Amino acid sequence: MPINPSPAVLRANRLLWHLARRPAESYSISELARMTGIPRASCDSVLQALADCGLVVRREPELRYALGDFCIALGDAAREANPVLHAAGREAEELARRLSACV
């Protein structure tokens, strides 16, 4: 019998993907609930958990949410774990140095 994924984890994923599509933006709980189709109460509790982990940040006093700094650490770890991305990063840095450009 297959194991079903946790609904809370699926909701967290939807929220993070939505925030990642526009990383410079911040959103209220109501806006995120409406845009993702997640009930507001569920959205609130998932965002609180994500904020506790550093995956989102709650901006005061307007109570808006945006991606948190811990997402950088996760991205860096994913890059290190993937040999192709890791090698491409090294090559891009070398190319940038040789061309005195941003790659």
Side-chain angles (χ1 to χ4, degrees):
M1 178 182 315
I3 298 172
N4 293 324
S6 163
V9 173
L10 294 174
R11 289 178 180 132
N13 180 60
R14 283 200 340 233
L15 288 165
L16 290 170
W17 271 110
H18 181 78
L19 292 169
R21 280 194 295 255
R22 291 204 170 96
E25 301 289 325
S26 62
Y27 302 91
S28 70
I29 293 171
S30 296
E31 290 169 332
L32 286 168
R34 187 173 50 256
M35 290 184 246
T36 60
I38 298 170
R40 191 188 184 292
S42 297
C43 195
D44 190 19
S45 65
V46 170
L47 285 167
Q48 285 181 30
L50 291 172
D52 287 348
C53 297
L55 290 167
V56 300
V57 63
R58 186 171 113 166
R59 297 194 174 143
E60 303 283 346
E62 61 275 358
L63 303 180
R64 298 179 72 77
Y65 288 85
L67 286 178
D69 294 341
F70 189 63
C71 292
I72 296 168
L74 287 176
D76 289 345
R79 186 181 306 113
E80 287 295 319
N82 185 319
V84 173
L85 290 177
H86 186 66
R90 284 195 314 261
E91 291 296 320
E93 287 178 26
E94 178 58 32
L95 183 60
R97 273 193 288 281
R98 278 190 280 147
L99 298 175
S100 297
C102 193
V103 177

